[in-house]
């Protein structure tokens, strides 16, 4: 599918705007919820130039080039991220959902419930969760994924972020990641 790369903030300059999103069929995964009663899935795309060559600025392509350099040194690169995020009552209501602290296990806490539902959704998508807990700040949560090969983990991380946000949205809440909260304050 053709895309306008210059419309993606920080992705492509105006003269590189004509790009193609090419699905990587190996990334197809059914989502563990339905939309309007229909099964839906996620599919991650590689970005190509109009002539079919890989676009040099595609993050997946950048990672592949780095992995080739690592492979030439007879090494394999694995990642195991510890991704943290915050829950709020809504997009415009930045009221925190809980007052818990590091590793608190409050059974009737809505943040804990949302995090548990997120872990279940990730596991249903065969994304292996190693640990899950409340972080230091109020309404701050963390789900750790089991280490995996770098490109697979990059794809899983994008999926993880989507699942966290979607589970929160389904519950009527809002989830945001730390860097997002600092770099792009929503109005």
């Amino acid at each position: 599918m053709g895309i306008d790369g210059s419309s993606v903030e920080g992705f492509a300059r105006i003269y590189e705007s004509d790009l193609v999103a090419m699905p990587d069929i190996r990334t197809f995964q059914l989502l563990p919820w339905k939309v309007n009663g229909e099964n839906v899935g996620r599919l991650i795309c590689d970005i190509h130039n109009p002539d079919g060559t890989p676009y040099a600025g595609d993050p997946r392509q950048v990672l592949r080039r780095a992995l080739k350099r690592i492979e030439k040194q007879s090494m394999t690169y694995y990642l195991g991220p510890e991704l943290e995020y915050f829950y709020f009552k809504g997009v415009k209501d930045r009221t925190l959902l809980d007052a818990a602290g590091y590793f608190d296990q409050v059974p009737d806490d809505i943040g804990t419930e949302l995090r548990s539902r997120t872990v279940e959704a990730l596991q249903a998508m065969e994304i292996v969760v190693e640990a899950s807990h409340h972080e230091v700040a109020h309404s701050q949560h963390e789900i750790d994924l089991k280490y995996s090969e770098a490109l697979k983990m990059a794809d899983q991380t994008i999926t993880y972020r989507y699942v966290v946000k979607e589970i929160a949205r389904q519950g009527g809440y809002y989830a945001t990641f730390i860097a997002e909260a600092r770099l792009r304050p929503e109005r």
Side-chain angles (χ1 to χ4, degrees):
M1 170 176 229
I3 64 167
D4 179 0
S6 67
S7 293
V8 180
E9 187 176 337
F11 193 65
R13 296 169 291 256
I14 192 71
Y15 63 86
E16 300 172 312
S17 64
D18 294 333
L19 297 172
V20 177
M22 182 68 65
D24 179 348
I25 195 68
R26 295 168 297 187
T27 66
F28 179 78
Q29 182 74 49
L30 282 175
L31 296 175
W33 57 80
K34 293 185 180 208
V35 175
N36 297 324
E38 300 287 330
N39 289 322
V40 292
R42 74 96 158 98
L43 188 64
I44 297 173
C45 294
D46 290 312
I47 305 301
H48 289 228
N49 295 305
D51 67 3
T53 60
Y55 173 62
D58 174 12
R60 294 178 94 229
Q61 184 62 25
V62 171
L63 181 55
R64 282 189 185 104
R65 287 193 307 267
L67 292 173
K68 282 187 191 285
R69 290 191 302 272
I70 290 168
E71 189 178 301
K72 286 180 183 177
Q73 297 175 33
S74 299
M75 293 188 288
T76 304
Y77 193 62
Y78 291 92
L79 295 172
E82 296 180 6
L83 304 164
E84 301 172 9
Y85 56 94
F86 288 86
Y87 288 123
F88 294 100
K89 285 200 176 178
V91 174
K92 297 190 190 270
D93 181 355
R94 295 304 170 98
T95 304
L96 299 172
L97 291 187
D98 65 61
Y102 192 60
F103 272 90
D104 276 352
Q105 296 296 318
V106 184
D108 60 351
D109 176 70
I110 188 64
T112 300
E113 180 184 328
L114 290 170
R115 190 177 72 240
S116 294
R117 288 183 48 217
T118 300
V119 167
E120 289 170 6
L122 291 169
Q123 290 173 331
M125 296 179 72
E126 299 178 3
I127 295 175
V128 181
V129 173
E130 199 163 68
S132 158
H133 62 88
H134 199 286
E135 260 299 334
V136 176
H138 294 176
S139 212
Q140 181 183 16
H141 295 262
E142 177 178 314
I143 298 172
D144 303 336
L145 304 182
K146 182 171 173 56
Y147 73 93
S148 185
E149 182 275 321
L151 185 59
K152 179 179 179 182
M153 182 53 69
D155 292 344
Q156 287 181 348
T157 298
I158 293 299
T159 303
Y160 167 97
R161 287 173 45 91
Y162 173 71
V163 171
V164 165
K165 289 171 172 281
E166 179 59 19
I167 295 296
R169 188 198 66 75
Q170 288 175 6
Y173 302 101
Y174 179 70
T176 188
F177 288 76
I178 294 171
E180 236 175 49
R182 270 192 249 138
L183 297 176
R184 291 187 302 140
E186 272 101 7
R187 297 175 185 94

